[in-house]
Amino acid sequence: MHVIASAGWLGLTLGLLALGITAATTGSAGTVEASVRAMKLFADWLLLPLAFLTLLSGLLLSLGTKWGLARYRWVYTKFWLTLATTTATVFALRPGVNSAVTAVAAGGPLPDAGDVLFGPVVSLSAYVFMTVISVLKPRGKTRRGRRYPQTFA
């Protein structure tokens, strides 16, 4: 479940980035409006469920396996980055997309390309980094992991 939710979140972010680039670079008002409206649809209906599912499934996995939540640095880093990106989705990405939709729907231009580009770029960078550390599992155990040896077989 965690891999499916994480892959979905990553794919959705790539889609948001493509829509944001389209909105920021096209000269057509209709295309800008369609792009930001699609971004709003993704942000309102798909982003948060996938973000919370990724966070919850990752937390359950970490607590129910030998990796633990605070035993290995890569798991701990992924947890905090997932929490940060989920929070940024709620308080930065969605409001930015909503303000872009409001401005464009009123007949104006895209107020700031950063509203539709910054969130997906930062999120995508974080998700790619988390994917890489999931595969490489770098930097060993945390101080807590060294102090309390693993209890799983």
Side-chain angles (χ1 to χ4, degrees), residues 9-66:
W9 200 10
L10 177 63
L12 182 58
T13 301
L14 281 169
L16 285 169
L17 182 59
L19 289 167
I21 290 170
T22 301
T25 60
T26 188
S28 166
T31 303
V32 171
E33 185 172 0
S35 295
V36 295
R37 285 187 183 275
M39 288 181 80
K40 181 172 174 37
L41 181 68
F42 287 179
D44 287 349
W45 291 97
L46 298 174
L47 263 182
L48 287 180
L50 280 174
F52 288 125
L53 185 58
T54 300
L55 186 62
L56 180 64
S57 62
L59 187 60
L60 290 174
L61 271 174
S62 69
L63 295 175
T65 65
K66 68 177 183 173

Short mmCIF file of all heavy atoms in Angstrom, two decimals, residues 9-66:
data_model
loop_
_atom_site.label_atom_id
_atom_site.label_comp_id
_atom_site.label_asym_id
_atom_site.label_seq_id
_atom_site.Cartn_x
_atom_site.Cartn_y
_atom_site.Cartn_z
N TRP A 9 1.48 9.53 -5.50
CA TRP A 9 1.79 10.91 -5.10
C TRP A 9 2.87 11.49 -6.01
O TRP A 9 2.78 12.64 -6.44
CB TRP A 9 2.21 10.91 -3.65
CG TRP A 9 2.12 12.22 -2.93
CD1 TRP A 9 1.53 13.38 -3.37
CD2 TRP A 9 2.64 12.51 -1.64
NE1 TRP A 9 1.66 14.36 -2.42
CE2 TRP A 9 2.33 13.86 -1.35
CE3 TRP A 9 3.33 11.77 -0.70
CZ2 TRP A 9 2.69 14.47 -0.15
CZ3 TRP A 9 3.68 12.38 0.49
CH2 TRP A 9 3.36 13.71 0.76
N LEU A 10 3.88 10.70 -6.31
CA LEU A 10 4.95 11.13 -7.20
C LEU A 10 4.40 11.41 -8.60
O LEU A 10 4.70 12.44 -9.22
CB LEU A 10 6.06 10.08 -7.26
CG LEU A 10 7.23 10.34 -8.19
CD1 LEU A 10 8.00 11.58 -7.79
CD2 LEU A 10 8.16 9.13 -8.21
N GLY A 11 3.59 10.50 -9.12
CA GLY A 11 3.00 10.69 -10.45
C GLY A 11 2.07 11.89 -10.51
O GLY A 11 2.08 12.65 -11.48
N LEU A 12 1.30 12.08 -9.48
CA LEU A 12 0.40 13.23 -9.41
C LEU A 12 1.20 14.53 -9.40
O LEU A 12 0.83 15.51 -10.05
CB LEU A 12 -0.49 13.13 -8.17
CG LEU A 12 -1.52 14.21 -7.97
CD1 LEU A 12 -2.47 14.29 -9.15
CD2 LEU A 12 -2.31 13.92 -6.70
N THR A 13 2.31 14.53 -8.71
CA THR A 13 3.16 15.72 -8.66
C THR A 13 3.76 16.01 -10.03
O THR A 13 3.87 17.16 -10.44
CB THR A 13 4.26 15.54 -7.60
OG1 THR A 13 3.62 15.32 -6.34
CG2 THR A 13 5.14 16.75 -7.50
N LEU A 14 4.16 14.96 -10.75
CA LEU A 14 4.65 15.16 -12.12
C LEU A 14 3.55 15.76 -13.00
O LEU A 14 3.82 16.65 -13.81
CB LEU A 14 5.12 13.83 -12.72
CG LEU A 14 6.49 13.36 -12.28
CD1 LEU A 14 6.72 11.91 -12.73
CD2 LEU A 14 7.56 14.26 -12.84
N GLY A 15 2.32 15.29 -12.83
CA GLY A 15 1.20 15.85 -13.57
C GLY A 15 0.96 17.31 -13.22
O GLY A 15 0.71 18.15 -14.10
N LEU A 16 1.04 17.63 -11.94
CA LEU A 16 0.87 19.02 -11.50
C LEU A 16 1.98 19.91 -12.09
O LEU A 16 1.72 21.05 -12.49
CB LEU A 16 0.88 19.12 -9.98
CG LEU A 16 -0.38 18.64 -9.28
CD1 LEU A 16 -0.16 18.53 -7.78
CD2 LEU A 16 -1.55 19.56 -9.58
N LEU A 17 3.19 19.39 -12.12
CA LEU A 17 4.29 20.16 -12.69
C LEU A 17 4.06 20.42 -14.18
O LEU A 17 4.27 21.53 -14.67
CB LEU A 17 5.62 19.44 -12.46
CG LEU A 17 6.86 20.16 -12.98
CD1 LEU A 17 7.01 21.54 -12.33
CD2 LEU A 17 8.10 19.31 -12.72
N ALA A 18 3.62 19.39 -14.90
CA ALA A 18 3.34 19.56 -16.33
C ALA A 18 2.24 20.60 -16.55
O ALA A 18 2.35 21.46 -17.44
CB ALA A 18 2.95 18.22 -16.95
N LEU A 19 1.20 20.55 -15.74
CA LEU A 19 0.12 21.53 -15.85
C LEU A 19 0.60 22.93 -15.47
O LEU A 19 0.22 23.93 -16.10
CB LEU A 19 -1.07 21.13 -14.98
CG LEU A 19 -1.86 19.92 -15.47
CD1 LEU A 19 -2.80 19.41 -14.38
CD2 LEU A 19 -2.63 20.26 -16.74
N GLY A 20 1.43 23.02 -14.45
CA GLY A 20 1.97 24.31 -14.02
C GLY A 20 2.86 24.92 -15.08
O GLY A 20 2.79 26.13 -15.34
N ILE A 21 3.71 24.11 -15.70
CA ILE A 21 4.57 24.61 -16.79
C ILE A 21 3.71 25.08 -17.96
O ILE A 21 3.96 26.14 -18.55
CB ILE A 21 5.58 23.53 -17.23
CG1 ILE A 21 6.62 23.31 -16.12
CG2 ILE A 21 6.25 23.90 -18.55
CD1 ILE A 21 7.51 22.10 -16.34
N THR A 22 2.68 24.32 -18.27
CA THR A 22 1.77 24.71 -19.35
C THR A 22 1.11 26.05 -19.04
O THR A 22 1.06 26.94 -19.89
CB THR A 22 0.70 23.62 -19.58
OG1 THR A 22 1.35 22.40 -19.91
CG2 THR A 22 -0.27 24.02 -20.68
N ALA A 23 0.61 26.20 -17.81
CA ALA A 23 -0.06 27.45 -17.43
C ALA A 23 0.90 28.63 -17.46
O ALA A 23 0.53 29.74 -17.85
CB ALA A 23 -0.67 27.31 -16.03
N ALA A 24 2.15 28.39 -17.06
CA ALA A 24 3.11 29.49 -16.97
C ALA A 24 3.71 29.88 -18.32
O ALA A 24 4.18 31.01 -18.47
CB ALA A 24 4.24 29.10 -16.01
N THR A 25 3.69 28.99 -19.29
CA THR A 25 4.38 29.27 -20.55
C THR A 25 3.47 29.47 -21.75
O THR A 25 3.95 29.94 -22.78
CB THR A 25 5.37 28.13 -20.88
OG1 THR A 25 4.66 26.90 -21.02
CG2 THR A 25 6.44 28.01 -19.81
N THR A 26 2.23 29.13 -21.65
CA THR A 26 1.35 29.27 -22.82
C THR A 26 0.87 30.71 -22.98
O THR A 26 0.81 31.47 -22.01
CB THR A 26 0.14 28.32 -22.70
OG1 THR A 26 -0.58 28.33 -23.93
CG2 THR A 26 -0.80 28.73 -21.59
N GLY A 27 0.53 31.06 -24.18
CA GLY A 27 0.00 32.39 -24.44
C GLY A 27 -1.52 32.40 -24.52
O GLY A 27 -2.13 33.44 -24.68
N SER A 28 -2.12 31.25 -24.39
CA SER A 28 -3.57 31.12 -24.54
C SER A 28 -4.27 31.20 -23.18
O SER A 28 -4.00 30.39 -22.29
CB SER A 28 -3.89 29.78 -25.20
OG SER A 28 -5.25 29.47 -25.08
N ALA A 29 -5.18 32.14 -23.05
CA ALA A 29 -5.92 32.30 -21.79
C ALA A 29 -6.75 31.06 -21.49
O ALA A 29 -6.88 30.65 -20.33
CB ALA A 29 -6.82 33.53 -21.85
N GLY A 30 -7.31 30.45 -22.52
CA GLY A 30 -8.11 29.24 -22.33
C GLY A 30 -7.27 28.08 -21.81
O GLY A 30 -7.71 27.31 -20.94
N THR A 31 -6.06 27.95 -22.31
CA THR A 31 -5.17 26.88 -21.86
C THR A 31 -4.71 27.12 -20.43
O THR A 31 -4.62 26.19 -19.63
CB THR A 31 -3.95 26.75 -22.80
OG1 THR A 31 -4.43 26.53 -24.13
CG2 THR A 31 -3.04 25.62 -22.39
N VAL A 32 -4.42 28.37 -20.10
CA VAL A 32 -4.04 28.71 -18.72
C VAL A 32 -5.17 28.34 -17.77
O VAL A 32 -4.95 27.70 -16.74
CB VAL A 32 -3.68 30.21 -18.58
CG1 VAL A 32 -3.51 30.60 -17.12
CG2 VAL A 32 -2.44 30.55 -19.37
N GLU A 33 -6.39 28.73 -18.13
CA GLU A 33 -7.53 28.44 -17.26
C GLU A 33 -7.76 26.94 -17.13
O GLU A 33 -7.98 26.43 -16.03
CB GLU A 33 -8.80 29.12 -17.78
CG GLU A 33 -9.97 28.91 -16.82
CD GLU A 33 -11.20 29.73 -17.18
OE1 GLU A 33 -11.19 30.48 -18.17
OE2 GLU A 33 -12.19 29.60 -16.44
N ALA A 34 -7.69 26.21 -18.22
CA ALA A 34 -7.87 24.75 -18.17
C ALA A 34 -6.78 24.10 -17.31
O ALA A 34 -7.06 23.19 -16.53
CB ALA A 34 -7.87 24.17 -19.57
N SER A 35 -5.56 24.58 -17.44
CA SER A 35 -4.45 24.01 -16.67
C SER A 35 -4.62 24.24 -15.17
O SER A 35 -4.47 23.31 -14.38
CB SER A 35 -3.12 24.61 -17.13
OG SER A 35 -2.85 24.26 -18.45
N VAL A 36 -4.93 25.46 -14.78
CA VAL A 36 -5.05 25.73 -13.34
C VAL A 36 -6.30 25.08 -12.76
O VAL A 36 -6.30 24.66 -11.60
CB VAL A 36 -4.96 27.24 -13.00
CG1 VAL A 36 -3.60 27.79 -13.34
CG2 VAL A 36 -6.06 28.04 -13.63
N ARG A 37 -7.35 24.97 -13.55
CA ARG A 37 -8.55 24.27 -13.06
C ARG A 37 -8.25 22.78 -12.86
O ARG A 37 -8.72 22.17 -11.90
CB ARG A 37 -9.73 24.48 -14.00
CG ARG A 37 -10.35 25.85 -13.88
CD ARG A 37 -11.63 25.95 -14.71
NE ARG A 37 -12.19 27.27 -14.67
CZ ARG A 37 -13.00 27.70 -13.70
NH1 ARG A 37 -13.34 26.92 -12.71
NH2 ARG A 37 -13.47 28.93 -13.75
N ALA A 38 -7.51 22.19 -13.77
CA ALA A 38 -7.11 20.78 -13.60
C ALA A 38 -6.22 20.63 -12.37
O ALA A 38 -6.36 19.66 -11.61
CB ALA A 38 -6.40 20.27 -14.85
N MET A 39 -5.32 21.58 -12.16
CA MET A 39 -4.47 21.53 -10.96
C MET A 39 -5.32 21.60 -9.70
O MET A 39 -5.05 20.89 -8.72
CB MET A 39 -3.46 22.69 -10.97
CG MET A 39 -2.37 22.53 -11.99
SD MET A 39 -1.19 23.89 -11.96
CE MET A 39 -0.19 23.38 -10.54
N LYS A 40 -6.33 22.44 -9.71
CA LYS A 40 -7.22 22.55 -8.54
C LYS A 40 -7.96 21.24 -8.29
O LYS A 40 -8.08 20.80 -7.16
CB LYS A 40 -8.21 23.70 -8.73
CG LYS A 40 -9.15 23.86 -7.53
CD LYS A 40 -9.98 25.10 -7.65
CE LYS A 40 -11.03 25.24 -6.57
NZ LYS A 40 -10.70 24.82 -5.25
N LEU A 41 -8.42 20.63 -9.36
CA LEU A 41 -9.11 19.34 -9.24
C LEU A 41 -8.19 18.30 -8.62
O LEU A 41 -8.56 17.59 -7.68
CB LEU A 41 -9.60 18.89 -10.61
CG LEU A 41 -10.37 17.58 -10.66
CD1 LEU A 41 -11.71 17.74 -9.96
CD2 LEU A 41 -10.56 17.15 -12.09
N PHE A 42 -6.95 18.21 -9.12
CA PHE A 42 -5.97 17.27 -8.56
C PHE A 42 -5.68 17.59 -7.10
O PHE A 42 -5.62 16.70 -6.26
CB PHE A 42 -4.66 17.32 -9.34
CG PHE A 42 -4.70 16.68 -10.70
CD1 PHE A 42 -3.57 16.69 -11.49
CD2 PHE A 42 -5.83 16.07 -11.20
CE1 PHE A 42 -3.56 16.10 -12.75
CE2 PHE A 42 -5.84 15.47 -12.44
CZ PHE A 42 -4.71 15.49 -13.22
N ALA A 43 -5.47 18.88 -6.82
CA ALA A 43 -5.11 19.30 -5.46
C ALA A 43 -6.25 19.06 -4.47
O ALA A 43 -6.02 18.65 -3.33
CB ALA A 43 -4.69 20.76 -5.44
N ASP A 44 -7.48 19.31 -4.90
CA ASP A 44 -8.62 19.17 -3.98
C ASP A 44 -9.02 17.72 -3.74
O ASP A 44 -9.43 17.37 -2.65
CB ASP A 44 -9.83 19.93 -4.53
CG ASP A 44 -9.67 21.44 -4.39
OD1 ASP A 44 -8.75 21.89 -3.69
OD2 ASP A 44 -10.48 22.17 -5.00
N TRP A 45 -8.93 16.88 -4.77
CA TRP A 45 -9.48 15.53 -4.66
C TRP A 45 -8.45 14.41 -4.54
O TRP A 45 -8.76 13.34 -4.04
CB TRP A 45 -10.39 15.23 -5.84
CG TRP A 45 -11.63 16.04 -5.77
CD1 TRP A 45 -11.89 17.22 -6.42
CD2 TRP A 45 -12.78 15.79 -4.97
NE1 TRP A 45 -13.13 17.70 -6.07
CE2 TRP A 45 -13.70 16.83 -5.18
CE3 TRP A 45 -13.13 14.77 -4.09
CZ2 TRP A 45 -14.93 16.89 -4.54
CZ3 TRP A 45 -14.37 14.82 -3.46
CH2 TRP A 45 -15.24 15.87 -3.69
N LEU A 46 -7.23 14.62 -5.01
CA LEU A 46 -6.26 13.53 -5.04
C LEU A 46 -5.05 13.73 -4.13
O LEU A 46 -4.56 12.77 -3.54
CB LEU A 46 -5.78 13.29 -6.48
CG LEU A 46 -6.87 12.88 -7.47
CD1 LEU A 46 -6.30 12.83 -8.87
CD2 LEU A 46 -7.47 11.55 -7.08
N LEU A 47 -4.53 14.94 -4.07
CA LEU A 47 -3.28 15.17 -3.34
C LEU A 47 -3.36 14.80 -1.87
O LEU A 47 -2.51 14.05 -1.38
CB LEU A 47 -2.88 16.64 -3.45
CG LEU A 47 -1.87 17.01 -4.50
CD1 LEU A 47 -1.55 18.49 -4.43
CD2 LEU A 47 -0.62 16.19 -4.42
N LEU A 48 -4.32 15.34 -1.17
CA LEU A 48 -4.36 15.09 0.28
C LEU A 48 -4.66 13.64 0.64
O LEU A 48 -3.99 13.10 1.53
CB LEU A 48 -5.34 16.04 0.97
CG LEU A 48 -4.82 17.47 1.06
CD1 LEU A 48 -5.83 18.37 1.75
CD2 LEU A 48 -3.49 17.53 1.76
N PRO A 49 -5.59 12.97 -0.03
CA PRO A 49 -5.76 11.55 0.30
C PRO A 49 -4.49 10.73 0.07
O PRO A 49 -4.12 9.90 0.90
CB PRO A 49 -6.89 11.09 -0.63
CG PRO A 49 -7.66 12.32 -0.92
CD PRO A 49 -6.66 13.43 -0.95
N LEU A 50 -3.79 10.98 -1.04
CA LEU A 50 -2.54 10.25 -1.29
C LEU A 50 -1.45 10.64 -0.29
O LEU A 50 -0.69 9.79 0.17
CB LEU A 50 -2.05 10.49 -2.71
CG LEU A 50 -2.74 9.67 -3.79
CD1 LEU A 50 -2.29 10.10 -5.17
CD2 LEU A 50 -2.51 8.19 -3.59
N ALA A 51 -1.39 11.90 0.06
CA ALA A 51 -0.39 12.35 1.03
C ALA A 51 -0.63 11.69 2.38
O ALA A 51 0.30 11.16 3.00
CB ALA A 51 -0.44 13.87 1.17
N PHE A 52 -1.87 11.71 2.84
CA PHE A 52 -2.17 11.10 4.15
C PHE A 52 -2.01 9.58 4.12
O PHE A 52 -1.56 8.99 5.10
CB PHE A 52 -3.56 11.51 4.64
CG PHE A 52 -3.63 12.93 5.08
CD1 PHE A 52 -4.57 13.79 4.55
CD2 PHE A 52 -2.76 13.44 6.04
CE1 PHE A 52 -4.64 15.12 4.95
CE2 PHE A 52 -2.80 14.75 6.45
CZ PHE A 52 -3.75 15.60 5.89
N LEU A 53 -2.38 8.95 3.01
CA LEU A 53 -2.20 7.50 2.89
C LEU A 53 -0.72 7.14 2.89
O LEU A 53 -0.31 6.17 3.54
CB LEU A 53 -2.89 6.98 1.62
CG LEU A 53 -2.89 5.47 1.42
CD1 LEU A 53 -3.57 4.77 2.60
CD2 LEU A 53 -3.61 5.12 0.13
N THR A 54 0.09 7.92 2.22
CA THR A 54 1.54 7.70 2.23
C THR A 54 2.10 7.87 3.64
O THR A 54 2.87 7.03 4.11
CB THR A 54 2.24 8.67 1.26
OG1 THR A 54 1.74 8.45 -0.06
CG2 THR A 54 3.74 8.48 1.27
N LEU A 55 1.70 8.93 4.31
CA LEU A 55 2.19 9.20 5.67
C LEU A 55 1.76 8.09 6.63
O LEU A 55 2.58 7.55 7.38
CB LEU A 55 1.67 10.56 6.14
CG LEU A 55 2.18 11.08 7.47
CD1 LEU A 55 3.68 11.27 7.44
CD2 LEU A 55 1.49 12.38 7.81
N LEU A 56 0.49 7.72 6.59
CA LEU A 56 -0.03 6.70 7.51
C LEU A 56 0.56 5.33 7.22
O LEU A 56 1.00 4.63 8.15
CB LEU A 56 -1.56 6.63 7.41
CG LEU A 56 -2.24 5.62 8.32
CD1 LEU A 56 -2.01 5.97 9.79
CD2 LEU A 56 -3.72 5.54 8.02
N SER A 57 0.63 4.94 5.96
CA SER A 57 1.18 3.61 5.64
C SER A 57 2.67 3.55 5.96
O SER A 57 3.17 2.53 6.43
CB SER A 57 0.91 3.25 4.18
OG SER A 57 1.53 4.16 3.30
N GLY A 58 3.39 4.64 5.73
CA GLY A 58 4.81 4.67 6.08
C GLY A 58 5.01 4.58 7.58
O GLY A 58 5.92 3.89 8.06
N LEU A 59 4.18 5.26 8.33
CA LEU A 59 4.26 5.21 9.79
C LEU A 59 3.97 3.80 10.30
O LEU A 59 4.70 3.27 11.13
CB LEU A 59 3.28 6.22 10.41
CG LEU A 59 3.34 6.42 11.90
CD1 LEU A 59 4.70 6.92 12.33
CD2 LEU A 59 2.26 7.40 12.33
N LEU A 60 2.93 3.17 9.77
CA LEU A 60 2.60 1.81 10.17
C LEU A 60 3.72 0.83 9.79
O LEU A 60 4.05 -0.06 10.57
CB LEU A 60 1.27 1.37 9.55
CG LEU A 60 0.03 2.05 10.10
CD1 LEU A 60 -1.21 1.65 9.31
CD2 LEU A 60 -0.16 1.75 11.58
N LEU A 61 4.27 1.00 8.60
CA LEU A 61 5.38 0.14 8.19
C LEU A 61 6.58 0.31 9.10
O LEU A 61 7.21 -0.67 9.50
CB LEU A 61 5.80 0.47 6.76
CG LEU A 61 5.10 -0.25 5.65
CD1 LEU A 61 5.53 0.30 4.30
CD2 LEU A 61 5.36 -1.74 5.71
N SER A 62 6.89 1.55 9.43
CA SER A 62 8.08 1.78 10.25
C SER A 62 7.90 1.22 11.66
O SER A 62 8.84 0.70 12.25
CB SER A 62 8.41 3.27 10.31
OG SER A 62 7.44 3.98 11.04
N LEU A 63 6.71 1.31 12.17
CA LEU A 63 6.46 0.81 13.53
C LEU A 63 6.29 -0.70 13.58
O LEU A 63 6.48 -1.31 14.62
CB LEU A 63 5.24 1.50 14.13
CG LEU A 63 5.39 3.01 14.35
CD1 LEU A 63 4.08 3.61 14.82
CD2 LEU A 63 6.51 3.32 15.31
N GLY A 64 5.94 -1.31 12.45
CA GLY A 64 5.68 -2.74 12.44
C GLY A 64 6.76 -3.59 11.81
O GLY A 64 6.56 -4.77 11.60
N THR A 65 7.90 -3.00 11.47
CA THR A 65 8.97 -3.76 10.84
C THR A 65 10.29 -3.53 11.57
O THR A 65 10.37 -2.70 12.47
CB THR A 65 9.16 -3.36 9.36
OG1 THR A 65 9.60 -2.01 9.30
CG2 THR A 65 7.89 -3.55 8.56
N LYS A 66 11.31 -4.22 11.13
CA LYS A 66 12.63 -4.10 11.76
C LYS A 66 13.24 -2.72 11.58
O LYS A 66 14.16 -2.35 12.30
CB LYS A 66 13.58 -5.15 11.21
CG LYS A 66 13.96 -4.93 9.76
CD LYS A 66 14.95 -5.95 9.27
CE LYS A 66 15.35 -5.64 7.85
NZ LYS A 66 16.41 -6.50 7.38
#
